[in-house]
Amino acid sequence: MDPRTLLGLLSADATQSGSALAARLGITRAAVWKQIEALRADGAPIEAVASRGYRLAWPIEWLDLRRIEAGLEPAERKRFGAIDLRWQVDSTSSELLRRAPRDGADLQVCCAEMQSAGRGRRGRSWRSPLGGNLYLSLLKRFDHGMGALAGLSLAVGTAVVAALADCGIDGVGLKWPNDVLAGGRKLAGILIELGGEFLGPCHAVIGIGINLRLSEHDAAAIDQPATDLATVAATPPARNALAARLLARLLAALDRFAAAGFAAFRDDYARLDLLAGHEIEVRDAGGILRGIADGVDERGALRVRDGGGVRSFDSAEVSVRAR
Ligand code: BTN
């Protein structure tokens, strides 16, 4: 039986007994229990209420292609083509990277309810439990080589913040290169992976994970302070509406980036830059540098000022130093 059938019967408003669920599904109570345990192991927020049954810890709006498409303009829908909505996949980004050589479409989207091997930056994993968050990847093709893509991840960060603002979420900023933070905690992450030719046709797979609802268990397992939209906003946005705004903002940003590069985003980024003016520590292959964050250059590299002048970093780990 498809686990979605059982999930579809559960609600956050009413508790359903195991025997009522079994009767509705035509299976035994033991089979219901087994499925509930399997769904919980995937991260589904199912609570057991002593001697009364099961309910969802919070209402879940499942991803729905029609609702996502309803949030897009007809011209945007046309450009995205078929949006690939999955129940489960190892990683939405891995899926698009695998598909890139055989599907030449300019834009491709994959979105999933859960990821079994979600990936973060620098080889980290990205916890991707069922039914809580948004896991979305978008492939975009470019004509003029990977060198022209400097700063793309920062431009994408501004698009994510704009999509959140469209959904009524304010007070969100960016920590270079592209962590999306609210209240000093990580709300969303961006992973950009490039493929194709260094000097010719190439593609970027842009993977975005936004925390909508993190259980205490999941939040505790993340190796940095994390937050979710349910904490940041009185009412978290509907997932399908957020996915649609994210796609629309990404499309606009990618068009602008293809036409003018990161230079077109430098002012937007500066407005969202949470590091600027702070004492930071930058680690890269060359060692550790302590200095004051001084914005980014026209290619999106981080500028750090210290006694010796200003140095720029294309890639590094950055932490803010406690005062
Ligand atoms: C980060 O480390 O901050 C980046 C996290 C990116 C997570 C997203 S979720 C959708 C896409 N699929 C993945 O496996 N990773 C990205």
Side-chain angles (χ1 to χ4, degrees), residues 91-93 115 117-121 126 134-137 179 186 189-191 207-209:
S91 149
T92 52
S93 288
Q115 300 183 117
R119 295 184 289 107
R121 290 177 56 235
W126 185 258
L134 201 60
Y135 316 114
L136 181 145
S137 297
D179 280 353
K186 186 147 164 176
I190 298 165
L191 173 72
I208 298 169

Side-chain angles (χ1 to χ4, degrees), residues 42-61:
D42 285 336
I46 302 173
E47 291 180 338
V49 187
S51 67
R52 288 183 46 211
Y54 305 101
R55 69 167 178 230
L56 294 177
W58 56 74
I60 301 177
E61 187 193 70

Side-chain angles (χ1 to χ4, degrees), residues 89-95 110-112 115 117-128 134-138 178-180 186 188-193 205-210 224:
V89 67
D90 54 349
S91 149
T92 52
S93 288
S94 303
E95 174 60 24
C110 180
C111 200
Q115 300 183 117
R119 295 184 289 107
R121 290 177 56 235
R122 301 185 166 265
R124 297 192 182 104
S125 63
W126 185 258
R127 284 186 82 79
S128 309
L134 201 60
Y135 316 114
L136 181 145
S137 297
L138 185 154
N178 52 17
D179 280 353
V180 182
K186 186 147 164 176
I190 298 165
L191 173 72
I192 307 232
E193 293 162 297
V205 171
I206 299 163
I208 298 169
I210 303 182
Q224 59 183 303

Side-chain angles (χ1 to χ4, degrees), residues 6-12 14 16 21 36 39 46 54-56:
L6 170 55
L7 271 173
L9 296 180
L10 295 175
S11 100
Q16 318 252 7
L21 290 168
I36 297 251
L39 286 164
I46 302 173
Y54 305 101
R55 69 167 178 230
L56 294 177

Side-chain angles (χ1 to χ4, degrees), residues 1-322:
M1 195 188 80
D2 188 328
R4 278 169 275 192
T5 317
L6 170 55
L7 271 173
L9 296 180
L10 295 175
S11 100
D13 303 326
T15 304
Q16 318 252 7
S17 72
S19 44
L21 290 168
R24 288 181 73 179
L25 294 167
I27 58 176
T28 64
R29 278 179 62 182
V32 168
W33 179 83
K34 214 170 144 192
Q35 283 222 8
I36 297 251
E37 287 308 302
L39 286 164
R40 278 176 154 174
D42 285 336
I46 302 173
E47 291 180 338
V49 187
S51 67
R52 288 183 46 211
Y54 305 101
R55 69 167 178 230
L56 294 177
W58 56 74
I60 301 177
E61 187 193 70
W62 299 104
L63 294 172
D64 177 334
L65 200 50
R66 275 172 310 180
R67 286 190 182 186
I68 295 177
E69 288 184 343
L72 295 170
E73 296 293 331
E76 293 167 341
R77 275 205 296 272
K78 201 166 159 204
R79 286 191 59 200
F80 282 120
I83 294 174
D84 185 9
L85 266 197
R86 301 288 182 94
W87 176 252
Q88 180 173 20
V89 67
D90 54 349
S91 149
T92 52
S93 288
S94 303
E95 174 60 24
L96 292 184
L97 286 169
R98 281 191 294 267
R99 202 187 298 166
R102 55 189 155 85
D103 183 340
D106 178 49
L107 285 164
Q108 296 170 43
V109 178
C110 180
C111 200
E113 291 289 2
M114 65 179 141
Q115 300 183 117
S116 54
R119 295 184 289 107
R121 290 177 56 235
R122 301 185 166 265
R124 297 192 182 104
S125 63
W126 185 258
R127 284 186 82 79
S128 309
L130 171 64
N133 310 316
L134 201 60
Y135 316 114
L136 181 145
S137 297
L138 185 154
L139 176 146
K140 170 80 179 102
R141 295 190 184 274
F142 295 91
D143 294 327
H144 303 298
M146 296 180 193
L149 302 186
L152 176 63
S153 70
L154 282 65
V156 167
T158 66
V160 173
V161 176
L164 289 166
D166 291 343
C167 296
I169 313 289
D170 295 317
V172 179
L174 296 171
K175 173 176 172 254
W176 188 90
N178 52 17
D179 280 353
V180 182
L181 304 189
R185 295 173 161 262
K186 186 147 164 176
L187 177 64
I190 298 165
L191 173 72
I192 307 232
E193 293 162 297
L194 305 180
E197 291 176 35
F198 198 72
L199 295 172
C202 61
H203 55 265
V205 171
I206 299 163
I208 298 169
I210 303 182
N211 300 330
L212 272 93
R213 299 252 189 195
L214 281 180
S215 66
E216 275 176 33
H217 172 76
D218 286 317
I222 297 176
D223 62 358
Q224 59 183 303
T227 190
D228 60 13
L229 289 176
T231 307
V232 168
T235 322
R239 283 202 311 156
N240 291 297
L242 178 59
R245 287 318 303 154
L246 192 56
L247 289 173
R249 288 291 190 172
L250 282 172
L251 185 57
L254 289 168
D255 283 348
R256 197 163 145 217
F257 190 91
F262 177 69
F265 293 86
R266 204 171 165 193
D267 292 346
D268 291 350
Y269 186 85
R271 275 191 288 277
L272 300 171
D273 184 350
L274 295 172
L275 291 181
H278 284 273
E279 260 186 72
I280 58 169
E281 189 168 279
V282 184
R283 290 163 188 268
D284 72 354
I288 299 181
L289 176 77
R290 298 190 178 95
I292 307 288
D294 191 24
V296 298
D297 69 14
E298 62 292 341
R299 294 167 45 257
L302 176 69
R303 286 163 46 94
V304 184
R305 197 162 19 88
D306 71 353
V310 174
R311 273 184 58 191
S312 293
F313 292 83
D314 286 321
S315 141
E317 285 266 33
V318 180
S319 53
V320 178
R321 301 189 69 200

